[in-house]
Amino acid sequence: MFTGIIEEVGTVLAVEHEQPGDEGETVVGSARMTIEGPGVLVDARPGCSIAVGGVCLTVVEHDGERFTADVMGETLRWTTLGGLAPGDPVNLERALRADGRLDGHVVQGHVDGVGEVVARTVHERWEVLEVSVPEELRPHLVRKGSVAVDGTSLTVSGLTDAGFEVSLIPTTLAETTLGRRAVGDRVNLETDVLAKYVAGLLGDRQAAS
């Protein structure tokens, strides 16, 4: 489990995709990523979890400065990780310790869908980001509720026809990748886990009736 409080912006160093099959057809498989992020590796060990752009990945190995993780085909297809290339910045967060503070909100690292930045409004000391969302995620979004965008814990400041708006303070702009996101960029979305459970329970009750 994570909190959505980004600890460091890392850099993708290498992406090794699975090679095509014997008959020249691309096999839907995994990729191995190497990411530079010394801050999140202070107490890391093989097998621990690090959220990369909001996606929970398992550390295969690390040398204190960079770590390697395997990414399954499902993750490559349904998140923005499939489009990463060397040099790309990524938000990084270690898993929450049981005795840690929950300064953001409960983030599982299980991306629900990919949204798109459709507008960016600059104010004197903050910016408003408007993000479009897949239709199936809209029932899980409420004004003043929580949402994770590229792993960053944010409060929904408003709902729009396309999706939602979030207000980004200077710290978020400076210390996460959201300060660099432009209109047209794709972002990983994870809606509030409590909203998902409530929606699931209501759906089960309606189906039963």
Side-chain angles (χ1 to χ4, degrees):
M1 188 180 79
F2 306 91
T3 69
I5 303 301
I6 303 305
E7 298 182 89
E8 179 179 17
V9 175
T11 303
V12 177
L13 298 179
V15 181
E16 301 174 21
H17 288 277
E18 186 174 90
Q19 296 300 312
D22 293 337
E23 298 180 0
E25 296 182 357
T26 300
V27 178
V28 178
S30 65
R32 175 160 285 201
M33 292 187 179
T34 301
I35 299 168
E36 183 178 44
V40 296
L41 294 175
V42 173
D43 56 357
R45 67 187 188 284
C48 72
S49 297
I50 293 178
V52 178
V55 181
C56 179
L57 297 181
T58 299
V59 174
V60 175
E61 57 187 17
H62 77 88
D63 62 6
E65 293 290 326
R66 62 195 70 190
F67 67 94
T68 300
D70 290 318
V71 188
M72 294 294 96
E74 184 78 0
T75 303
L76 295 173
R77 286 194 301 270
W78 295 101
T79 75
T80 63
L81 267 58
L84 290 179
D88 286 343
V90 285
N91 291 329
L92 301 176
E93 182 193 355
R94 290 172 292 179
L96 175 67
R97 288 170 52 102
D99 60 351
R101 293 179 181 274
L102 188 61
D103 290 319
H105 71 281
V106 175
V107 177
Q108 294 181 299
H110 302 158
V111 171
D112 295 306
V114 173
E116 181 179 319
V117 177
V118 295
R120 188 171 196 123
T121 305
V122 180
H123 295 274
E124 185 176 358
R125 287 186 52 79
W126 76 94
E127 296 185 20
V128 176
L129 208 66
E130 182 180 346
V131 180
S132 65
V133 303
E135 186 66 33
E136 63 270 18
L137 298 188
R138 293 189 183 187
H140 303 161
L141 294 165
V142 295
R143 190 170 181 271
K144 304 301 182 183
S146 297
V147 65
V149 180
D150 279 348
T152 307
S153 175
L154 297 169
T155 299
V156 176
S157 55
L159 298 175
T160 67
D161 291 338
F164 65 92
E165 291 181 344
V166 287
S167 298
L168 308 179
I169 62 174
T171 298
T172 304
L173 293 170
E175 298 184 7
T176 77
T177 60
L178 297 184
R180 319 176 197 191
R181 291 295 181 216
V183 172
D185 283 354
R186 300 167 72 243
V187 290
N188 289 324
L189 302 175
E190 182 183 332
T191 57
D192 186 7
V193 63
L194 297 179
K196 286 184 280 193
Y197 277 122
V198 170
L201 289 171
L202 290 176
D204 290 343
R205 286 185 180 181
Q206 290 175 354
S209 62

